[in-house]
């Protein structure tokens, strides 16, 4: 049992690191978008690569890096309309 607890501790620490990386990537996305909008509307010189980088790569990284910590801490969004009207057994499956 100690092996599983140690493994859980290691995985939890790894999830925390990935969540911090996801937060840093979100900040980086914000900086890229602000620079792109500023360049586009004030200097008529947008960043040609910003849309592809943010939508294809960085947002995917944010999603997958933050998915596991979100599920572990049960911070995901539930549809309460369905969740409140099902049996207790079904609720435990849905968690």
């Amino acid at each position: 049992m100690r092996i599983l607890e140690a493994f859980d501790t290691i995985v939890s620490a790894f999830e925390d690191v990935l969540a911090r990386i996801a937060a840093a990537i979100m900040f980086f996305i914000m900086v890229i978008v602000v620079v792109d909008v500023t360049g586009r509307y004030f200097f008529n010189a947008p960043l040609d690569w910003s849309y592809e980088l943010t939508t294809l790569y960085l947002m995917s990284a944010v999603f997958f890096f933050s998915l596991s910590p979100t599920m572990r801490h049960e911070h995901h969004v539930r549809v309460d309309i369905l969740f409140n009207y099902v049996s207790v057994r079904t609720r435990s499956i849905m968690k």
Side-chain angles (χ1 to χ4, degrees):
M1 203 61 170
R2 289 191 181 274
I3 295 172
L4 290 178
E5 291 173 0
F7 184 71
D8 184 52
T9 303
I10 292 169
V11 169
S12 181
F14 186 64
E15 288 173 348
D16 290 341
V17 169
L18 289 179
R20 291 178 192 275
I21 292 171
I25 291 173
M26 279 297 291
F27 180 76
F28 188 58
I29 289 172
M30 183 185 68
V31 170
I32 290 173
V33 169
V34 166
V35 169
D36 184 40
V37 168
T38 303
R40 180 181 310 264
Y41 292 111
F42 293 112
F43 302 112
N44 200 19
L47 302 174
D48 295 330
W49 48 268
S50 67
Y51 180 75
E52 288 83 11
L53 179 69
T54 56
T55 57
L56 295 177
Y57 301 109
L58 297 179
M59 287 303 292
S60 300
V62 167
F63 174 77
F64 286 111
F65 287 175
S66 61
L67 182 64
S68 182
T70 301
M71 297 303 267
R72 176 181 286 267
H73 299 292
E74 294 187 8
H75 291 161
H76 54 281
V77 177
R78 289 193 187 117
V79 180
D80 286 336
I81 296 169
L82 297 175
F83 193 73
N84 291 333
Y85 292 109
V86 296
S87 66
V88 175
R89 183 176 183 188
T90 307
R91 285 183 193 178
S92 66
I93 293 170
M94 290 171 70
K95 283 187 177 183

